[in-house]
Amino acid sequence: MEIEIHLKINKMLGDVKVDKSYYDSFEMMKIVKGMSLLDLLTEIGFKYDETITIVNGKSVNIEYIFNNEDSVYVLPLLVGG
Amino acid sequence: MKRNLMRINLENKETNIKEFDEKYNKLGGRALTSALISEEVRTDIDPLSQDNKLIFATGLLTGINASSVHRLSLGSISPLTGGIKESNSGGIFALNMALNGVNALIVENCLSNLSIIKIDGFNVEILDAQNYKGLKTVETGYKLKEQFGSNISFVCVGPAGENQLLTASIVVSDADGMASRHLGRGGLGAVMGAKNIKAIVIINRKGFLKGDKPEDLKSNVKEYLKILANTKQTSEIYTKYGTAAMVDTTNALDGMPTMNFRYGSHENAEELNGIKLNSIITDRGGDTSHACMPGCTIRCSNIYTDSNKNEIVRSLEYETIVLCGSNLGIFDLDKVAVINSIINNLGMDSIDVGGAIGIMMDMGILDFGDYEGVIKLLEEIENNTLVGRLIGSGTFRTGVVLGSKRIPAVKGQGLPGYDPRAVKGHGVTFSTSAMGADHTAGMNIREGLDSHSKEGQIESSFKMQKLAIMYDSAGLCLFTHVAVRNNIDLILEMLTNLYGIKWTLNDLTSMSEKTLLIERNFNRKRGLGVYSDRLPRVFTEEYLGDENLIFDITPDNLDQIFSSIED
């Protein structure tokens, strides 16, 4: 069974496996219900510990299971400015 | 490998050199400066009196032929926070201290006239600097090179330091010999100004430290460079986008200080982010990947120019972009760059100055977004007027004098670019660190945690505060963290092969924990009680954003942060 999330990938992360449109804005993506953050990042070609993922405005941990209509933003993990 | 401590007594102008005492054998950078300050400086003194000291120290790895290891630590008592302080900077001063055989430099007492200290090997001269009086930092750098030649490294103060403003920085020369890096936090430029030191100049030395086992060290460094090269952050993101890369993250988390911390995000944040910065600099033919120290492969710095390719500032960094940009309602990197350039040239901390002006805007003295008004206020600092001195006294004092109820400061020091309601781990660090609200004291923006939740933030902040001391003491740039955090054994091997004595993880952990306690105890003796380990009410009483974020970690929990290492 599938659910829909809205995915955006920060441009600084560069091109990986997903369509370029995900670098411009939040685009709908169908995923398998029960998918965790780690599963998603692995599928689209990122290492969990090199990214920070914000779901509905909050950073989440590796075990997070997506809900329908989640807004998911993947950014590079940085330690400071 | 032997290390030396140079002591310069400004009163009798005598210099003393000696090898490190055995007890300092495994200390460097912040761990060393804090140990020396706590042993040598009385806790009852005025930070701007002759009783205070400036203690410069190289990191444990500084001087070897590797990337990002030449950070400089400066210890003192801060006139801004009233507590012990370590300010940290890149540049080439620490590298050349190490290559001259000077691993710690203690400057004590005061001079009667503005002077320059020149160090060449173990020879020290104190020279008159009346003709440098009032010079801004960039001009000072040029004049120093005229006088001493281009083969020098230096630290210097600008007018703010000479005028003993509490947010005065000390500027450090970069890999091009330009006055551009800042020992920014804590107002230590005022301490240098109070000692009547305009600059300290070191004659550069060629080569690098080879270590006790040169071939093994070389092999370690090769592996270390490989790790930096294979990590996206250190090989690409910091390199292309600089620290401005952080804007997108804090904005997305609702943690980007906006209009004196009234908001945590803004629809125009993209005008300030790393992508915009890269695009502007690239279009104008500037440098997006400048190294502040030789051999750095991360190269997070930049040279920001105007449309005619004239340099405005080097380097435009995240903290300034936020505190002097979104915090003031200014969403234009060209304007932020000019503000940054003026503040740098006066020799000041752009975080605390941005915070002070943010409060003035919040109080209605000028409008958010009023760029021209900001420029006029900076002219007041340059002219050393009453208003200028008020702003130059920093975020906290400006807020108190103006009667603001919304003062983003801890221990008298302005908050850097993270709203503690949205990035709660940083709130823990800002509250409990002896350094006050300092972005170099332990950042955990995402150590596997939800930054909006209070869960796990105390433990995470404690871990990152210890790691920050470890990096600062090793001379390692904090930006290597993402690459080296899972390779600490390699860092230990580098230390072992450099010094010819075995280093263990326990050595580093023990050094960090002892330093935390030394600093905390010193502050307690200075009178900085439990009250100083609290965030201001604006973060505990005023809700932020749509999620109604609040800093809800209790004082009792904050007070337990160091309990596992306290007696």
Side-chain angles (χ1 to χ4, degrees):
Chain A
M1 190 179 166
E2 289 183 331
I3 59 168
E4 290 178 0
I5 59 169
H6 299 277
L7 177 69
K8 181 179 174 182
I9 298 170
N10 189 273
K11 283 182 184 172
M12 292 185 289
L13 282 167
D15 292 325
V16 281
K17 292 178 184 173
V18 295
D19 190 278
K20 280 184 177 163
S21 61
Y22 288 107
Y23 289 90
D24 296 325
S25 58
F26 284 92
E27 298 292 330
M28 190 265 283
M29 178 184 254
K30 287 186 176 175
I31 62 167
V32 179
K33 189 178 178 184
M35 187 179 246
S36 70
L37 173 59
L38 181 61
D39 296 333
L40 176 74
L41 291 176
T42 305
E43 188 168 309
I44 60 180
F46 293 115
K47 291 180 188 167
Y48 168 75
D49 62 1
E50 290 187 4
T51 54
I52 175 166
T53 303
I54 297 172
V55 179
N56 307 326
K58 300 172 71 168
S59 59
V60 294
N61 65 25
I62 196 165
E63 294 97 11
Y64 182 82
I65 305 290
F66 293 104
N67 297 306
N68 199 29
E69 294 292 312
D70 271 349
S71 176
V72 183
Y73 187 16
V74 184
L75 293 132
L77 171 67
L78 302 166
V79 283
Chain B
M1 193 187 77
K2 290 173 182 170
R3 291 187 298 159
N4 301 302
L5 186 153
M6 175 182 276
R7 185 182 300 274
I8 302 174
N9 185 330
L10 300 177
E11 195 167 38
N12 58 22
K13 302 193 178 174
E14 284 183 1
T15 299
N16 171 276
I17 308 278
K18 64 170 193 172
E19 271 182 40
F20 274 23
D21 286 350
E22 202 178 330
K23 63 181 175 179
Y24 302 136
N25 270 353
K26 288 192 169 179
L27 299 184
R30 176 172 160 187
L32 180 61
T33 61
S34 289
L36 287 167
I37 288 288
S38 75
E39 286 170 25
E40 294 205 4
V41 183
R42 295 200 327 266
T43 53
D44 62 347
I45 65 153
D46 170 1
L48 296 180
S49 73
Q50 65 169 5
D51 299 322
N52 200 2
K53 298 187 184 189
L54 289 171
I55 303 183
F56 297 87
T58 65
L60 289 162
L61 291 170
T62 300
I64 69 170
N65 188 11
S67 172
S68 323
V69 294
H70 309 307
R71 299 284 297 185
L72 173 66
S73 284
L74 172 59
S76 193
I77 299 183
S78 163
L80 188 73
T81 68
I84 195 167
K85 191 72 193 168
E86 186 261 2
S87 201
N88 195 282
S89 173
I92 60 170
F93 192 80
L95 168 64
N96 283 290
M97 275 178 69
L99 296 181
N100 273 275
V102 180
N103 302 94
L105 169 63
I106 301 180
V107 183
E108 52 194 24
N109 290 315
C110 290
L111 292 159
S112 47
N113 294 307
L114 194 65
S115 303
I116 292 166
I117 298 172
K118 180 191 167 194
I119 299 170
D120 185 356
F122 292 161
N123 298 313
V124 174
E125 288 178 77
I126 298 177
L127 306 162
D128 180 76
Q130 285 305 308
N131 55 339
Y132 283 78
K133 198 169 174 53
L135 283 191
K136 293 178 185 172
T137 61
V138 173
E139 222 176 337
T140 299
Y142 285 131
K143 199 170 174 71
L144 288 170
K145 282 189 277 187
E146 254 177 53
Q147 182 172 351
F148 299 101
S150 57
N151 189 37
I152 57 167
S153 308
F154 59 85
V155 292
C156 71
V157 295
E162 287 183 51
N163 293 330
Q164 297 176 38
L165 296 180
L166 302 186
T167 57
S169 64
I170 296 174
V171 184
V172 185
S173 56
D174 67 16
D176 299 333
M178 295 290 289
S180 74
R181 313 304 303 183
H182 286 247
L183 293 157
R185 307 249 60 198
L188 302 191
V191 179
M192 190 154 148
K195 293 189 178 302
N196 260 318
I197 303 168
K198 181 67 179 176
I200 303 174
V201 171
I202 290 187
I203 304 302
N204 292 347
R205 291 278 183 270
K206 284 186 177 159
F208 292 97
L209 303 180
K210 303 269 186 257
D212 196 67
K213 295 179 183 164
E215 288 310 312
D216 291 342
L217 181 59
K218 212 183 272 182
S219 158
N220 296 151
V221 169
K222 206 172 162 186
E223 179 65 20
Y224 165 74
L225 292 175
K226 206 165 127 189
I227 293 166
L228 291 181
N230 289 336
T231 305
K232 197 173 180 70
Q233 281 81 352
T234 48
S235 64
E236 193 179 327
I237 294 175
Y238 277 127
T239 314
K240 278 172 75 176
Y241 306 104
T243 57
M246 184 60 87
V247 168
D248 285 343
T249 305
T250 49
N251 187 59
L253 287 170
D254 220 7
M256 181 182 74
T258 303
M259 301 182 186
N260 193 34
F261 292 79
R262 283 199 178 271
Y263 311 99
S265 56
H266 196 277
E267 61 186 7
N268 292 333
E270 286 187 359
E271 295 300 314
L272 299 177
N273 70 9
I275 296 162
K276 183 76 177 182
L277 182 80
N278 178 280
S279 148
I280 290 174
I281 294 175
T282 305
D283 287 351
R284 293 174 183 174
D287 189 353
T288 60
S289 54
H290 184 259
C292 77
M293 59 180 68
C296 179
T297 58
I298 301 176
R299 305 192 313 276
C300 71
S301 297
N302 56 67
I303 299 176
Y304 194 97
T305 66
D306 64 18
S307 51
N308 295 318
K309 299 188 179 181
N310 298 311
E311 180 172 329
I312 300 177
V313 70
R314 64 168 77 189
S315 161
L316 192 51
E317 306 272 1
Y318 170 75
E319 303 295 341
T320 309
I321 288 171
V322 170
L323 268 298
C324 297
S326 57
N327 190 52
L328 306 185
I330 294 172
F331 294 90
D332 181 333
L333 283 174
D334 280 346
K335 290 177 179 174
V336 179
V338 172
I339 292 169
N340 192 182
S341 164
I342 295 169
I343 294 171
N344 282 2
N345 224 353
L346 291 168
M348 303 179 83
D349 175 12
S350 57
I351 297 175
D352 241 299
V353 172
I357 296 175
I359 288 175
M360 297 177 92
M361 288 177 160
D362 206 18
M363 298 288 286
I365 294 167
L366 67 166
D367 293 334
F368 283 113
D370 181 0
Y371 168 70
E372 301 299 333
V374 174
I375 299 297
K376 281 181 188 161
L377 287 177
L378 296 178
E379 284 169 7
E380 300 261 5
I381 300 174
E382 185 174 351
N383 295 328
N384 205 25
T385 66
L386 194 58
V387 171
R389 290 194 66 86
L390 175 66
I391 298 166
S393 300
T395 307
F396 177 72
R397 288 167 177 84
T398 298
V400 169
V401 170
L402 295 178
S404 171
K405 303 292 182 205
R406 306 184 70 261
I407 307 176
V410 179
K411 295 181 180 69
Q413 185 168 247
L415 253 72
Y418 306 87
D419 193 307
R421 291 166 291 189
V423 191
K424 290 187 179 170
H426 290 197
V428 176
T429 299
F430 298 160
S431 309
T432 58
S433 169
M435 298 296 123
D438 191 322
H439 61 295
T440 67
M443 312 276 272
N444 78 331
I445 191 158
R446 204 283 279 132
E447 284 291 306
L449 298 173
D450 172 357
S451 71
H452 290 182
S453 163
K454 62 183 176 184
E455 296 305 320
Q457 302 293 356
I458 296 271
E459 296 77 9
S460 177
S461 166
F462 177 51
K463 176 186 155 194
M464 294 309 288
Q465 287 194 50
K466 287 195 288 185
L467 276 172
I469 292 174
M470 193 197 81
Y471 285 111
D472 287 347
S473 301
L476 272 167
C477 177
L478 195 58
F479 299 160
T480 62
H481 172 66
V482 178
V484 305
R485 62 184 164 171
N486 296 322
N487 297 282
I488 297 297
D489 285 349
L490 179 60
I491 302 299
L492 293 169
E493 276 183 43
M494 287 164 79
L495 289 165
T496 299
N497 290 324
L498 176 62
Y499 289 98
I501 48 173
K502 180 75 179 166
W503 283 74
T504 66
L505 184 59
N506 187 53
D507 289 327
L508 297 182
T509 308
S510 162
M511 171 184 73
S512 295
E513 291 179 351
K514 279 181 186 161
T515 302
L516 281 173
L517 293 180
I518 284 171
E519 292 169 346
R520 189 172 169 86
N521 292 337
F522 191 89
N523 276 3
R524 290 289 188 258
K525 287 180 188 164
R526 288 277 301 163
L528 275 75
V530 174
Y531 76 94
S532 71
D533 291 339
R534 300 287 180 264
L535 286 177
R537 282 181 297 164
V538 59
F539 301 119
T540 57
E541 295 179 359
E542 186 177 304
Y543 290 95
L544 175 74
D546 295 339
E547 270 193 64
N548 285 325
L549 297 168
I550 198 83
F551 188 78
D552 52 0
I553 298 174
T554 66
D556 283 349
N557 284 333
L558 289 175
D559 292 341
Q560 292 304 308
I561 184 167
F562 303 122
S563 59
S564 64
I565 57 171
E566 283 171 326
D567 289 331

